[in-house]
Amino acid sequence: PANHLLVPFDHRCSFIPDPLAPFINPNWQQDFKLLGRLIGVALYHNVTLSIPLHPHICRLIFASNEAWDDWTVEDLEALDPDLYKNKMKWIMEHDVE
């Protein structure tokens, strides 16, 4: 919590990256790199970490370089319901030209 890398999501059942990390944590890039290496070493050694990452974040981690190609608006709705409700839904329902 002190490094603001992950924030609780879906009623504290899983975690997603903190979107405010770049603004709060001056070392956010190095901290995320360290977290990524920790997860990579755990996967390599078949060790379970007690970090319940949101399924969409796991999907991004295990996807190929085209990770965003098969994402849909419904995926965004599941990941960030407020963003979907307040921004995406309005954009889809109105002509934004």
Side-chain angles (χ1 to χ4, degrees), residues 36-49:
R37 288 181 180 200
L38 174 68
I39 292 171
V41 167
L43 287 171
Y44 183 78
H45 290 287
N46 201 21
V47 174
T48 302
L49 295 177

Side-chain angles (χ1 to χ4, degrees), residues 7-83:
V7 292
F9 189 73
D10 57 9
H11 307 291
R12 298 188 175 271
C13 291
S14 63
F15 291 89
I16 61 171
D18 188 350
L20 297 178
F23 305 105
I24 297 172
N25 181 353
N27 298 320
W28 69 275
Q29 290 177 317
Q30 293 88 358
D31 290 346
F32 273 117
K33 184 184 253 186
L34 179 63
L35 180 62
R37 288 181 180 200
L38 174 68
I39 292 171
V41 167
L43 287 171
Y44 183 78
H45 290 287
N46 201 21
V47 174
T48 302
L49 295 177
S50 295
I51 304 174
L53 295 175
H54 191 274
H56 289 297
I57 303 306
C58 293
R59 180 177 169 190
L60 286 173
I61 291 172
F62 294 115
S64 64
N65 291 336
E66 298 84 29
W68 295 101
D69 287 352
D70 60 346
W71 279 65
T72 64
V73 175
E74 290 78 20
D75 292 326
L76 176 62
E77 182 179 12
L79 184 59
D80 193 340
D82 290 332
L83 176 67

